[in-house]
């Protein structure tokens, strides 16, 4: 069975500092990988996705993630965060086009001035 | 284009009552999904419609939950009778049907926060 682990439940960081949110997955087959963000009182918004090809994926709002097959990881990074990046971030996988998403537990990013 | 719409946004009901949640997917999206997040836990899959057919309902917790998708358009999720442990945020998502080589991704609604007291 597939599973997703987000290694940090909460990440506090100061504004303009770099941040990395960690995600590891477990699967015996190839997967599609996603990062979603949920701002306070809003729904889930797609940040980026990895389907195939280049292992470095760029998303919205200056975020990027790198797929590492040997380490089964898909960590999310941003070189300089803003207060407005404060939100909960979810890593997820799906096995196939149109299949269900399996989510990690979520990481709360708190950006302080 | 309009996004995925869910209503109500909030619902507070008493244990034993019935509640119906509604989801309007993006027009033309054949795939519709329901997910739930119980407080403090991860977002979990409930079920997947392709048009009006249930493709995968492996995540439905028990027979108190009934999902329908009339005519392959909007979907409803009914909880009857509601129990305290049903409290949480219910998300709906939709996606286009795609070929084997492409994954269009999923668009989520804002969710319905259900509180059973």
């Amino acid at each position: 069975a597939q599973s997703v682990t987000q290694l940090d439940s909460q990440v506090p960081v100061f504004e303009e500092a770099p941040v990395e949110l960690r995600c590891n997955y477990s699967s015996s087959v190839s997967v599609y990988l996603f990062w979603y963000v949920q701002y306070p009182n809003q729904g889930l918004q797609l940040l980026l996705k990895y389907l195939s090809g280049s292992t470095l994926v760029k998303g919205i709002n200056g975020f990027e993630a790198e797929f590492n097959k040997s380490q089964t990881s898909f960590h999310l990074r941003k070189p300089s965060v803003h207060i407005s990046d404060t939100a909960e971030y979810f890593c997820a996988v799906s096995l196939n086009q149109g299949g269900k998403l399996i989510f990690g537990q979520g990481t709360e990013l708190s950006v302080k001035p | 284009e309009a996004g995925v719409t869910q209503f109500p946004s909030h619902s507070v009901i008493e244990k034993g009552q019935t509640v119906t949640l509604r989801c309007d997917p993006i027009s033309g999206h054949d795939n519709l999904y329901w997910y739930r997040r119980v407080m403090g836990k991860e977002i979990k899959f409930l079920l997947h419609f392709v048009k009006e057919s249930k493709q995968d309902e492996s995540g439905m917790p028990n027979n108190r939950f009934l999902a329908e998708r009339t005519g392959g358009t909007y979907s409803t999720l009914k909880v009857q009778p509601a129990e305290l442990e049903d409290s949480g945020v219910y998300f709906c998502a939709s996606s286009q049907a795609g070929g084997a080589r492409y994954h269009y991704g999923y668009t989520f609604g804002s969710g319905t926060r259900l509180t059973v007291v």
Side-chain angles (χ1 to χ4, degrees):
Chain A
Q2 291 70 37
S3 66
V4 178
T5 302
Q6 291 182 242
L7 297 157
D8 306 294
S9 59
Q10 294 180 324
V11 174
V13 64
F14 287 106
E15 192 174 20
E16 297 184 6
V19 71
E20 178 180 79
L21 306 184
R22 296 180 293 168
C23 173
N24 286 87
Y25 68 94
S26 171
S27 177
S28 58
V29 299
S30 295
V31 296
Y32 300 108
L33 294 151
F34 303 82
W35 275 99
Y36 281 86
V37 59
Q38 185 179 23
Y39 298 104
N41 301 315
Q42 294 187 29
L44 295 167
Q45 180 180 358
L46 179 66
L47 270 179
L48 48 80
K49 60 188 178 190
Y50 173 78
L51 305 180
S52 65
S54 173
T55 57
L56 183 63
V57 181
K58 293 191 183 297
I60 62 172
N61 301 340
F63 283 93
E64 63 181 32
E66 185 155 21
F67 170 57
N68 188 318
K69 187 174 182 179
S70 63
Q71 296 187 3
T72 60
S73 68
F74 191 54
H75 300 333
L76 181 71
R77 301 186 183 99
K78 186 170 182 177
S80 176
V81 294
H82 302 288
I83 299 286
S84 59
D85 292 323
T86 294
E88 190 162 17
Y89 293 78
F90 296 94
C91 181
V93 305
S94 75
L95 295 185
N96 47 48
Q97 193 285 124
K100 65 185 178 186
L101 282 169
I102 300 164
F103 284 90
Q105 299 90 332
T107 297
E108 290 185 17
L109 175 65
S110 175
V111 182
K112 304 177 186 304
Chain B
E1 71 182 356
V4 176
T5 305
Q6 291 187 247
F7 46 93
S9 57
H10 294 82
S11 180
V12 181
I13 61 171
E14 293 185 351
K15 176 182 173 182
Q17 289 186 321
T18 297
V19 63
T20 301
L21 314 181
R22 173 167 169 151
C23 169
D24 286 71
I26 291 173
S27 177
H29 281 195
D30 288 341
N31 295 298
L32 187 149
Y33 313 81
W34 284 98
Y35 292 84
R36 175 175 75 171
R37 189 182 194 196
V38 172
M39 188 177 290
K41 304 282 182 115
E42 68 269 30
I43 301 169
K44 285 199 170 178
F45 167 80
L46 296 178
L47 89 160
H48 171 202
F49 283 100
V50 177
K51 297 184 180 179
E52 67 274 11
S53 300
K54 292 176 185 175
Q55 179 77 12
D56 180 356
E57 50 184 329
S58 61
M60 294 288 266
N62 51 61
N63 59 11
R64 295 185 294 103
F65 289 75
L66 174 64
E68 295 178 325
R69 190 178 183 193
T70 307
T73 55
Y74 70 91
S75 175
T76 57
L77 180 65
K78 181 189 287 187
V79 185
Q80 179 183 31
E83 298 289 345
L84 298 179
E85 64 264 25
D86 301 332
S87 295
V89 181
Y90 290 76
F91 291 103
C92 176
S94 70
S95 73
Q96 289 178 265
R101 289 184 173 273
Y102 193 75
H103 198 310
Y104 287 100
Y106 312 83
T107 303
F108 279 79
S110 298
T112 294
R113 182 174 297 277
L114 175 64
T115 304
V116 183
V117 297

